[in-house]
Amino acid sequence: MKTIAVHTQNPYDVLVERGILGRCGTYIAPLLKGRTCAIITDDNVDGLYADTVTASLEAQGLTVVKFVFPHGEGSKNAQTLLDIYAFLCEHEITRSDCLIALGGGVVGDITGFAAATFLRGMQYVQLPTTLLAQVDSSVGGKTAIDLAQGKNLVGAFKQPAIVLCDPDALSTLPDVFLADGMGEVIKYGMIRDAALFDMLCTLNLDTVRAEFDTIIPTCIAIKRDVVEADPFDHGERMILNFGHTLAHAIETYYHYETYTHGSAVAAGMCMMTKQCGTAEQYEKLCACCQGYQLPVTVDAPLAQLIPLCSGDKKRAGGNLRYVVCEPTGTAQIRTVTLQEFHDLFIH
Ligand code: MG
């Protein structure tokens, strides 16, 4: 088992081990003040892992209740949140009980936000079952729901009590979701770890699963290092946004339909590196992304994408901040006007 200790205001551990979902109760029970766990999950994950998790919690003498909502980003909204609150009231959940986020990023984000707000705050545990959630969204304490006006517009920083990552859970993950997570995995290599990036270049979507015992803890440790240095996202955490300035524009342009987040990030990283990196670095990054069936560019014209970049949450005043990785394994934050950003791509 690999343990990554996260030293935020409320410190917690991320444990990575195959089969840990079936043993989750032994890790969760000692952290609880109350005796009831409310599992929050979606209708995809429910049938796959909820019984395993429930059995392990009940074996520790805990009472388990479960709330299931329809899978997908469309559920990450205020109505689902209200439904969760109503469910918690109905089951008389108290502040000393615990929410269990069992699923991918949507489940983790909305459960974390429910835990941050219900009864003014209660404990929650992350059991991420997608690659994206394991290496990215379950660590760092960002929780949120979407509004009709945009994604993640209402949220809170709320650290989990523990995160348990089971690489075996990824065996049921369809290739498109595996590729989605690989977009962020490649990003970690680019911003902090040239050796990880080189390793990823030797693998592809078919062979990478065998290396998850190394890759997942490596990515979590990188995210941990960045989050510890900037828990509330004021400065250095911005380096996690490599590729994201363009990715958010791509997602907006295509109404979040054509590209998954990770594939938009892959295209964003490649398009950025084409302008700011060396030709050799650009070619290597493109080849790496293609190995995971990730796009290296998009059809949308740059002239229409660039204005959408100003909608990025990471903008500061009238300026726009973006990340460049030259050489691979390092990251620099650059602040420019939208016009200067435009001129980078369109001369
Ligand atoms: Mg991301």
Side-chain angles (χ1 to χ4, degrees):
M1 182 168 62
K2 298 253 172 68
T3 302
I4 302 106
V6 185
H7 302 98
T8 43
Q9 202 171 12
N10 297 302
Y12 59 98
D13 286 338
V14 182
L15 309 184
V16 183
E17 188 178 48
R18 292 186 185 267
I20 201 168
L21 282 182
R23 298 184 289 278
C24 65
T26 57
Y27 299 101
I28 295 170
L31 304 171
L32 292 196
K33 289 164 259 160
R35 301 309 298 165
T36 302
C37 292
I39 296 176
I40 314 290
T41 190
D42 69 31
D43 56 356
N44 273 347
V45 179
D46 180 30
L48 294 170
Y49 303 113
D51 287 350
T52 303
V53 168
T54 300
S56 180
L57 293 166
E58 286 179 345
Q60 297 297 314
L62 299 167
T63 301
V64 181
V65 296
K66 182 177 75 178
F67 179 86
V68 183
F69 63 82
H71 66 274
E73 188 77 28
S75 287
K76 205 175 112 179
N77 57 33
Q79 187 54 56
T80 307
L81 184 68
L82 292 176
D83 293 343
I84 292 171
Y85 292 151
F87 171 84
L88 299 176
C89 290
E90 190 186 320
H91 290 276
E92 300 179 340
I93 297 298
T94 71
R95 215 185 248 173
S96 55
D97 294 323
C98 184
L99 303 189
I100 311 276
L102 173 64
V106 168
V107 168
D109 281 6
I110 197 166
T111 305
F113 189 60
T117 48
F118 188 68
L119 306 177
R120 297 200 182 88
M122 60 184 295
Q123 268 191 326
Y124 79 112
V125 167
Q126 292 269 22
L127 304 182
T129 59
T130 64
L131 180 59
L132 189 74
Q134 293 193 357
V135 299
D136 186 14
S137 57
S138 70
V139 179
K142 279 191 183 177
T143 74
I145 58 167
D146 301 335
L147 299 182
Q149 290 82 357
K151 290 207 349 168
N152 298 325
L153 289 182
V154 178
F157 288 97
K158 171 77 177 173
Q159 304 296 341
I162 195 167
V163 182
L164 306 179
C165 289
D166 187 344
D168 279 348
L170 307 182
S171 62
T172 54
L173 202 62
D175 276 356
V176 62
F177 293 108
L178 194 65
D180 183 25
M182 287 309 301
E184 297 283 2
V185 169
I186 293 168
K187 177 199 75 180
Y188 286 120
M190 288 294 292
I191 63 171
R192 270 293 174 94
D193 192 335
L196 170 64
F197 179 77
D198 285 341
M199 177 193 184
L200 296 173
C201 290
T202 67
L203 301 167
N204 58 45
L205 207 54
D206 296 322
T207 57
V208 71
R209 278 189 169 93
E211 306 301 328
F212 276 156
D213 299 86
T214 315
I215 291 171
I216 292 170
T218 300
C219 293
I220 293 169
I222 294 171
K223 177 140 191 194
R224 183 268 317 270
D225 291 345
V226 176
V227 166
E228 278 183 359
D230 181 19
F232 296 108
D233 198 11
H234 294 310
E236 200 214 344
R237 194 157 168 164
M238 172 72 197
I239 71 169
L240 296 171
N241 258 39
F242 176 53
H244 282 60
T245 306
L246 279 166
H248 291 149
I250 292 166
E251 291 179 299
T252 304
Y253 182 89
Y254 289 101
H255 308 287
Y256 294 91
E257 280 163 7
T258 312
Y259 294 96
T260 61
H261 177 67
S263 59
V265 168
M269 291 191 295
C270 293
M271 292 159 77
M272 205 66 209
T273 303
K274 189 177 186 181
Q275 304 305 322
C276 302
T278 64
E280 186 198 0
Q281 187 192 28
Y282 170 65
E283 278 155 30
K284 213 170 153 188
L285 176 59
C286 288
C288 185
C289 290
Q290 283 164 333
Y292 298 94
Q293 295 169 25
L294 289 163
V296 301
T297 188
V298 295
D299 290 335
L302 275 166
Q304 292 188 43
L305 285 179
I306 303 299
L308 296 173
C309 291
S310 65
D312 195 286
K313 273 206 296 302
K314 300 295 185 287
R315 71 185 186 274
N319 290 329
L320 187 144
R321 291 187 298 163
Y322 65 96
V323 181
V324 293
C325 297
E326 221 318 272
T328 299
T330 68
Q332 303 87 40
I333 300 166
R334 292 190 188 159
T335 305
V336 292
T337 63
L338 189 58
Q339 184 62 48
E340 288 167 327
F341 191 70
H342 172 275
D343 294 346
L344 256 184
F345 292 91
I346 302 165
H347 327 280

